[in-house]
Amino acid sequence: MTATAIDTRADHDAAGEKVFNDIIARDSRIEPRDWMPADYRKSLTRQISQHAHSEIIGMQPEANWITRAPSLKRKAVLMAKVQDEAGHGLYLYSAAETLGTPREKMTEDLIAGKARYSSIFNYPVLTWADIGAIGWLVDGAAICNQVPLCRASYGPYGRAMVRICKEESFHQRQGFEILLELANGTPEQRAMAQDAVNRWYAPSLMMFGPPDEDSPNSQKSMEWNIKRFSNDELRSRFVGMMVEQIKVLGLDLPDKDVRFDEGTGRWQYGPLDWNEFKEVLAGRGPCNAQRLERRREAHEEGAWVRDAASAYAARQAAKPTTTKAA
Amino acid sequence: MTGGSTTGDDGATAPSSGLHEERAAWPLWEVFVRSSRGLSHVHAGSLHAPDAEMAVRNARDLYTRRNEGVSLWVVPASAIITSDPDAKDAFFESPQGKDYRHATYYTKSEGVKHL
């Protein structure tokens, strides 16, 4: 992804660089009109736009279940959640735009398959219990990842994350409640809940990204105060939370290697299938094609609405100002 | 002084590399929300909309899904005039060293009641 409309002359601005470095050293915030290194801009544009795409694509797996949610209340809750995901996508696109890439470019990169989004949304949502597991595990992992991003050095990103985090905690709680209800239901419901947890556990751990030794961008991102903790650090912290929470559900984590390592002070977990992660990220997951196709369809089939709104706005603007009736 | 939004976007610029579309981008609007009576409108974020009416409606859906506001302002981002970020040191220099503009500068009256 390349950022357009950037003043490249600024790249060699030594004074600008000094100010930038001082701001980062003081752990203060960079704002859109500040000088910033081209790599900082590029890296942030990639991260924020991918994050935005994830929110937008993330609407699909859950929206598919709105008509099948088991009660009117559950439908209302799920609709609110999906609407939130749309909102989160829009906050993030706004933040990314401040770095110079127009929104249309981001949308087009996404539907052309040029942009990435979180691998998690390429897994199928097979049962109602999956909606619970997504809320609890997937949103739980997202929150764990996002809370430190509220302090990201880039002002607009941090502000978007604050708003998102405030809204996100309802997502995780509603998921937990779905699982809790099923776990205390009939044996079939209980089995369905366990099955969903079994399938979503490993993919949600992989949401934190590759292991630290295999995550080349992380180092720079931490130096720039965008990231505050490493992928493995956050993943381990998340496992520790899940270990406690699953006890309340009365279910089991599908990982016999989970234990607290006194030496490192970190939670350990079993091996994750990073080949699967790479395959899904490369577009070869179970639902990649379907998700992108649906997004493309929505964008193209909605074009006439955008055109009509633009035409109406242009016509209104062209009208001579009429004197108002008394 | 330079024109353009506080969030750094100078308003609508039509992207020319459209895969599927060659249409002008909707302008950018900055959104301000008054969270309750008695408080100022505070900048909440921005959005794109074809006109002011749609901008207000979109702002409601995007920034007040949880009763966050009792009133909204939308302002075309291109209409916002900002101080020049490159000249900020000089521009905001005047109050430097003028601590006597703060009550805390006056310490001799410490302990005197209601002062």
Side-chain angles (χ1 to χ4, degrees), chain A residues 140-173:
Chain A
I143 291 170
C144 213
N145 210 7
Q146 287 170 350
V147 167
L149 287 174
C150 294
R151 293 189 289 128
S153 60
Y154 188 57
Y157 192 28
R159 292 193 284 275
M161 292 318 309
V162 168
R163 193 172 282 277
I164 289 172
C165 286
K166 271 187 199 160
E167 299 181 353
E168 199 85 50
S169 57
F170 123 63
H171 297 184
Q172 195 186 14
R173 286 191 181 196

Side-chain angles (χ1 to χ4, degrees), chain A residues 12-230:
Chain A
H12 307 288
D13 183 341
E17 184 162 17
K18 187 182 176 313
V19 174
F20 175 87
N21 289 337
D22 286 350
I23 291 172
I24 296 294
R26 275 187 282 124
D27 198 3
S28 182
R29 300 292 179 267
I30 302 296
E31 294 296 341
R33 288 170 165 267
D34 290 336
W35 184 92
M36 60 187 91
D39 283 350
Y40 179 83
R41 188 186 299 277
K42 194 175 155 197
S43 169
L44 267 173
T45 302
R46 190 190 56 233
Q47 179 171 345
I48 304 174
S49 62
Q50 281 180 6
H51 198 158
H53 296 328
S54 302
E55 301 281 358
I56 296 298
I57 294 289
M59 295 166 74
Q60 293 184 33
E62 294 183 291
N64 287 341
W65 274 90
I66 291 173
T67 55
R68 290 172 286 170
S71 70
L72 194 56
K73 186 188 89 177
R74 297 287 189 200
K75 284 186 211 299
V77 168
L78 200 51
M79 277 195 283
K81 183 172 188 295
V82 172
Q83 199 186 15
D84 272 357
E85 308 300 359
H88 297 175
L90 294 177
Y91 306 153
L92 288 162
Y93 280 131
S94 286
E97 272 182 290
T98 65
L99 291 159
T101 303
R103 188 168 313 198
E104 288 70 17
K105 165 92 173 94
M106 292 186 262
T107 305
E108 278 156 12
D109 281 351
L110 174 63
I111 60 182
K114 286 193 247 168
R116 282 179 169 179
Y117 55 87
S118 178
S119 59
I120 196 81
F121 301 115
N122 292 316
Y123 289 89
V125 182
L126 304 178
T127 70
W128 172 249
D130 286 33
I131 295 296
I134 289 174
W136 179 51
L137 289 170
V138 175
D139 290 302
I143 291 170
C144 213
N145 210 7
Q146 287 170 350
V147 167
L149 287 174
C150 294
R151 293 189 289 128
S153 60
Y154 188 57
Y157 192 28
R159 292 193 284 275
M161 292 318 309
V162 168
R163 193 172 282 277
I164 289 172
C165 286
K166 271 187 199 160
E167 299 181 353
E168 199 85 50
S169 57
F170 123 63
H171 297 184
Q172 195 186 14
R173 286 191 181 196
Q174 67 85 36
F176 188 84
E177 279 195 22
I178 290 173
L179 286 179
L180 190 63
E181 202 141 320
L182 292 173
N184 292 311
T186 63
E188 290 82 2
Q189 287 174 325
R190 192 181 164 73
M192 187 165 80
Q194 183 64 57
D195 171 61
V197 170
N198 291 350
R199 280 181 292 108
W200 288 93
Y201 172 75
S204 66
L205 290 199
M206 290 195 277
M207 282 173 69
F208 293 94
D212 292 348
E213 63 272 17
D214 195 18
S215 178
N217 296 331
S218 285
Q219 188 58 37
K220 200 72 201 157
S221 189
M222 286 177 75
E223 281 168 24
W224 280 328
N225 293 342
I226 298 170
K227 263 176 99 110
R228 300 285 177 166
F229 303 99
S230 78

Side-chain angles (χ1 to χ4, degrees), chain A residues 84 97-98 167 299 307 310, chain B residues 7 21 23 26 48 66:
Chain A
D84 272 357
E97 272 182 290
T98 65
E167 299 181 353
H299 187 66
D307 286 344
S310 293
Chain B
T7 52
E21 317 186 13
R23 47 171 73 81
W26 285 347
H48 287 270
R66 289 175 174 79

Side-chain angles (χ1 to χ4, degrees), chain B residues 22-41:
Chain B
E22 285 294 340
R23 47 171 73 81
W26 285 347
L28 187 73
W29 304 77
E30 297 298 336
V31 179
F32 299 79
V33 180
R34 183 200 292 286
S35 56
S36 73
R37 288 182 173 277
L39 298 177
S40 308
H41 287 78

